Amino acid sequence: MGLIVQKYGGTSVANPERIKKVAEKIIATRNANHRLVVVVSAMSGETDRLISLAKSITSRPKPRELDVLLSTGEQVTIALLSIALESLGCPAHSYTGAQVHIRTDSAHNKARIMDIDAARVHKDLGDGRVVVVAGFQGVDESGNITTLGRGGSDTTAVALASALKADECQIYTDVDGVYTTDPRVVPEARRLDRITYEEMLEMASLGAKVLQIRSVEFASKYNVPLRVLSSFEEGQGTLITTEEEGMEQAQISGIAFNRDEAKLTVLGVPDQPGVASQILSPIADDGIEIDMIVQNVAQDSTTDFTFTVHRNDYDRALEILQDIAKKLGAREVTGDDKIIKISIIGVGMRSHAGIASTMFKTLANEGINIRMISTSEIKISVVVDEKYLELGVRALHDAFGLSQA
Ligand code: ASP
Ligand code: MG
């Protein structure tokens, strides 16, 4: 008999019918002799609705009060799910975050979980109940209600699984697992049976939005086995876990891409200490996030400096750069907001040589020009023109044999 934490997202509890279906799934798990803690999100669209309600009063609602409002979404679903469970003869108790002492810091709207007092949950489990906990919310030291940031119920589930030393944390959602790439771009994309935390973090931060990134970080830190599955179809889903020693790894596990990139270049920057910081600090000070950075080898005591930002920040970054370029005596600022980034990801890269050359050769064969390259231990990213996104991703998916099981 195991202890399992299950989390159901907004689409899984979107209406009373679906809530009843979730209750049936829970009962089936319980009948297989598992003890169960269930975390739920608000009904789909509810958190957005509450935010717009607040914004219809003022464009800048006080974060503390917004948290009081947003936490009501999950309070509705824990109650409805427990009502459904009880009506089917399954003993259940619902709890808000505060009631099970999900203690967070005081950063309203983006709070971090500090600890959880699991005693109450253990008592209920011991009494044979299913424990239903509101996701996305907690309480700070002074008793203020906090929320964990959008998608935060995933993190609640992982934190509970860690505190309770659960055997597995299962995230039920509207997709049946993590794929080798986006099936809308590559129809042959395949569901992965397993993936490492590290790979998942790269996939998630690169736009494969299945889980809140923070929940994966949390799971990785505390070694919580995390499984993504569909609420609507049977299946094993994808297990996110540690790298297995001695196991033959695929070279590449997945291909992520990001359509929202733009790049900026300062040409003819004097090559001297402090230049990189003088260029990038004003950008960062403006709250603009910088992704890839490339600086060329200097020629004739000047160098070129290129970096990428989110496309929405392109105009603003260009404006700031023009100013800096003048101050630095740089020659020219250029940019391009019609670019995208493709990344191949895999822990297998560590032990296989020649991955980069396969990637570059594949792109070259398709006539795709690479504009920037960056690498890390388990990832190689390239920036290319946006018109090559589909072609590039498909060619790479093929080249690394990701379509075959
Ligand atoms: N209801 C919250 C949101 O929509 C939290 C969650 O669903 O995970 O972001
Ligand atoms: Mg979600």
Side-chain angles (χ1 to χ4, degrees):
M1 183 164 117
L3 172 57
I4 294 175
V5 175
Q6 294 187 335
K7 179 256 172 178
Y8 291 91
T11 47
S12 310
V13 293
N15 55 50
E17 276 317 305
R18 288 193 182 168
I19 290 174
K20 281 191 218 166
K21 280 264 173 337
V22 167
E24 284 162 13
K25 269 183 109 70
I26 291 167
I27 289 169
T29 308
R30 191 166 171 269
N31 289 344
N33 259 329
H34 293 298
R35 287 172 298 150
L36 259 182
V37 175
V38 179
V39 174
V40 282
S41 291
M43 292 161 123
S44 65
E46 178 64 8
T47 307
D48 289 335
R49 189 186 72 90
L50 293 168
I51 291 171
S52 55
L53 259 182
K55 296 231 158 132
S56 67
I57 294 175
T58 165
S59 60
R60 297 179 61 191
K62 272 271 188 274
R64 181 190 182 281
E65 307 314 319
L66 190 61
D67 276 351
V68 175
L69 179 68
L70 296 190
S71 67
T72 64
E74 273 72 10
Q75 191 165 343
V76 170
T77 44
I78 53 168
L80 290 176
L81 181 57
S82 302
I83 288 168
L85 285 165
E86 288 280 358
S87 79
L88 294 169
C90 171
H93 269 174
S94 61
Y95 293 107
T96 63
Q99 283 179 300
V100 284
H101 305 287
I102 298 183
R103 208 168 59 71
T104 70
D105 60 18
S106 301
H108 285 288
N109 308 169
K110 48 175 188 297
R112 277 182 180 271
I113 296 177
M114 316 293 284
D115 67 358
I116 296 179
D117 173 10
R120 194 159 188 180
V121 177
H122 278 306
K123 164 101 185 38
D124 269 337
L125 290 173
D127 292 343
R129 290 195 186 89
V130 169
V131 180
V132 182
V133 179
F136 175 56
Q137 57 179 265
V139 62
D140 76 0
E141 216 167 16
S142 323
N144 300 299
I145 293 175
T146 54
T147 64
L148 310 180
R150 298 309 303 270
S153 298
D154 296 340
T155 301
T156 305
V158 172
L160 270 168
S162 165
L164 296 165
K165 303 196 170 39
D167 295 296
E168 196 167 287
C169 180
Q170 303 177 338
I171 308 283
Y172 283 89
T173 178
D174 42 12
V175 293
D176 67 349
V178 179
Y179 276 67
T180 49
T181 193
D182 187 339
R184 283 169 301 190
V185 172
V186 183
E188 297 80 25
R190 206 166 37 81
R191 181 182 55 77
L192 293 158
D193 286 330
R194 57 188 296 155
I195 184 172
T196 68
Y197 297 119
E198 265 181 299
E199 289 169 327
M200 187 62 208
L201 284 169
E202 294 291 2
M203 299 278 272
S205 62
L206 292 166
K209 292 191 187 67
V210 191
L211 285 168
Q212 197 195 36
I213 292 179
R214 201 187 275 182
S215 73
V216 183
E217 288 166 355
F218 205 112
S220 165
K221 189 162 168 201
Y222 296 100
N223 240 311
V224 179
L226 189 59
R227 192 183 290 278
V228 178
L229 325 96
S230 163
S231 301
F232 307 106
E233 289 165 43
E234 291 297 317
Q236 290 302 300
T238 300
L239 180 66
I240 306 161
T241 180
T242 45
E243 194 174 342
E244 260 179 27
E245 293 290 326
M247 205 171 109
E248 180 66 27
Q249 293 285 353
Q251 300 181 350
I252 296 301
S253 297
I255 302 176
F257 52 83
N258 187 348
R259 297 179 192 273
D260 306 316
E261 300 263 327
K263 74 178 171 70
L264 298 120
T265 302
V266 193
L267 292 160
V269 192
D271 183 35
Q272 61 200 36
V275 163
S277 141
Q278 276 171 284
I279 293 176
L280 294 181
S281 298
I283 302 278
D285 290 346
D286 205 74
I288 297 175
E289 237 177 272
I290 296 153
D291 183 18
M292 275 192 213
I293 304 171
V294 175
Q295 186 192 302
N296 259 357
V297 177
Q299 263 189 335
D300 331 318
S301 72
T302 68
T303 182
D304 303 336
F305 195 92
T306 303
F307 60 94
T308 63
V309 297
H310 191 283
R311 225 175 254 192
N312 291 345
D313 294 325
Y314 177 69
D315 290 339
R316 178 76 192 125
L318 200 57
E319 214 174 284
I320 297 173
L321 267 197
Q322 246 124 23
D323 218 46
I324 305 167
K326 223 173 280 158
K327 280 188 201 140
L328 285 175
R331 194 168 73 242
E332 195 189 347
V333 178
T334 63
D336 187 349
D337 64 349
K338 300 268 182 298
I339 55 151
I340 53 105
K341 180 171 75 173
I342 303 176
S343 308
I344 59 172
I345 295 151
V347 292
M349 228 180 255
R350 291 196 190 110
S351 49
H352 290 276
I355 302 279
S357 64
T358 303
M359 180 184 201
F360 303 152
K361 210 183 304 155
T362 304
L363 296 172
N365 286 344
E366 300 296 338
I368 300 174
N369 191 24
I370 301 171
R371 306 213 167 264
M372 288 170 85
I373 300 171
S374 85
T375 63
S376 75
E377 214 192 344
I378 64 159
K379 177 179 80 171
I380 305 171
S381 304
V382 295
V383 165
V384 301
D385 290 351
E386 73 177 0
K387 65 179 179 215
Y388 293 130
L389 185 133
E390 277 78 11
L391 182 62
V393 173
R394 279 178 202 147
L396 291 169
H397 199 268
D398 235 36
F400 287 104
L402 290 175
S403 306
Q404 301 107 32

